[in-house]
Amino acid sequence: MKTSRRGKALGGALLVAAGLLAVHSVTGERPPALQAVTGPSSTAVAPTGAAVAPASQALEPEPLAARFEDATRQEFERVSAAAERGDVRAQRRLAELYEKCFLVNVRRTSYLEGIESMATLHSDPDAGQQMRLIGQRVFAQCGGVDGGQFIPLEAMLLWREQAARGGDLASQLWLRQRQSVTAPLTAEEYAGLAAQVTASGDATAMAYLGALAETAAGQATPYVDPQISGLAWQIAACQQGRACAAGSELMDVLCLNIGACTETDATIVLRLEAADRQAALDAEIARILSDVGKTRQRSR
């Protein structure tokens, strides 16, 4: 995609961000409009907006929407059962599904109207149409999460806490990020967490550490400034196996939360945050991947 069109997509993101501030304040976290670029989040949300078009106007064929819902229902049932049995990865995934659909299922009756409002306001018609399609898919998928019912915030948090207690590093970092507003990350803590993440090789944990690193807010993290370090961890996570291409949950978030709907990969959007410092960003990505590679070799 050309730079000029990319600029249009990100310009439209301001419209999206403005509608999210009040909605997300109930969680005590940064708004997902900001998290979408600076950190991983599974939640794909949209402001209610004016009733521009009836929610009943299907943007995708009904059988396709039904297949999306059915596939998610099967996954939800599978991971729920495994989570109840104590499977830590299943507990993390269950929390992710709740996070993805938390605000979608709060207001299913008006969700698609909000999507249509944002899509209409988007400065790029192509991105607006893609937003409609993604919004319809996410709406259908979230119908398969607990039957589309309201998701208590406590359920989402409890499964994260359960996974963290079971040793899931990504969930531990997710919970630490929630505390970062009142307890910013220090350089010493960052170094310790980076060592754990490097040793784990967990791509999701890498992405979460990236989000957390950016909250260091002036703390002198090792090697490089917090923003570059944070972006580098998130891009490295994509290179280590995190789903970042078009159609991934991360790209859904970037589209619905900041309006970046026509990019082919999340790394393109992430790189825009440091457009004038690509050399520093590439150097930090290379350092992270080198450290991860060396750790894996030692563990063999």
Side-chain angles (χ1 to χ4, degrees), residues 134-160:
I134 291 174
Q136 178 101 10
R137 173 166 53 76
V138 169
F139 178 82
Q141 289 171 330
C142 290
V145 174
D146 208 12
Q149 298 300 308
F150 171 80
I151 299 169
L153 179 61
E154 292 78 8
M156 181 177 70
L157 296 177
L158 285 172
W159 282 117
R160 274 294 183 189

Side-chain angles (χ1 to χ4, degrees), residues 44 84 99 107 131 167 188 260 291 295:
E84 292 287 355
E99 290 154 23
R107 46 200 170 88
M131 181 179 286
E188 292 76 15
D291 288 348
T295 301

